[in-house]
Amino acid sequence: MAPIFALAALLSFAPSVSVEDRSAIEATIGHYFKAGDTSSSNELREAFHPAAMMFFVKDGALSGLSQPEWWARSDANKAPVAALSRQIPVVEVAGNAAFAKVVSVYPTHRFEDYMSLMRIDGRWWIVGKIFHRTVPLSPSGRPRDDR
């Protein structure tokens, strides 16, 4: 019986997200989606706080990218590929802090992004992003060559 009470106690502290916060966070992430589909640094600037960083693992080591570096890469990409689908399956808010899981599916891979957001002067900004890229398996069960 004790585990049921423990679960009920944990669930009673689960954060709730207001319709207004969820909508505003989705709008911010929507700029990130547009940036990815169009390679627009202007859309990145609408989504990410200028001090935000993106972190990822490359060749087994932690790598980071500042906003100015990301803006330059985005503007240099002359052949953007739009996502086949996008979802925001998880949003949690605690005061002025929020977390969102974002899933984007492309023809050759899938991204799972984990966004940290802060409400600054009444506006939600992405202040940090980490992600994992998954390459689907080929029919033989081996990872596809996604170069």
Side-chain angles (χ1 to χ4, degrees), residues 8 49 64 92 125 128 130 146:
H49 189 276
E92 293 185 15
W125 290 95
I130 62 172
D146 69 334

Side-chain angles (χ1 to χ4, degrees), residues 115-136:
M115 309 283 196
S116 296
L117 298 97
M118 297 293 298
R119 182 178 14 228
I120 302 168
D121 291 328
R123 185 190 187 288
W124 286 103
W125 290 95
I126 301 168
V127 296
K129 171 189 165 180
I130 62 172
F131 71 89
H132 176 72
R133 178 181 174 161
T134 303
V135 178

Side-chain angles (χ1 to χ4, degrees), residues 5-89:
F5 292 120
L7 179 60
L10 285 174
L11 292 176
S12 68
F13 290 103
S16 62
V17 180
S18 72
V19 171
E20 295 82 11
D21 280 339
R22 174 91 190 198
S23 178
I25 289 168
E26 287 178 352
T28 296
I29 293 171
H31 288 291
Y32 164 68
F33 289 163
K34 288 179 194 170
D37 290 345
T38 64
S39 286
S40 168
S41 66
N42 289 332
E43 290 292 341
L44 285 175
R45 286 177 173 91
E46 289 294 319
F48 287 83
H49 189 276
M53 290 287 296
M54 174 174 57
F55 291 100
F56 52 96
V57 175
K58 183 177 182 181
D59 300 324
L62 180 65
S63 297
L65 198 62
S66 70
Q67 287 306 292
E69 291 168 321
W70 197 2
W71 299 336
R73 284 187 185 191
S74 184
D75 289 339
N77 182 6
K78 301 302 180 203
V81 176
L84 299 174
S85 67
R86 296 193 187 267
Q87 297 176 12
I88 307 171

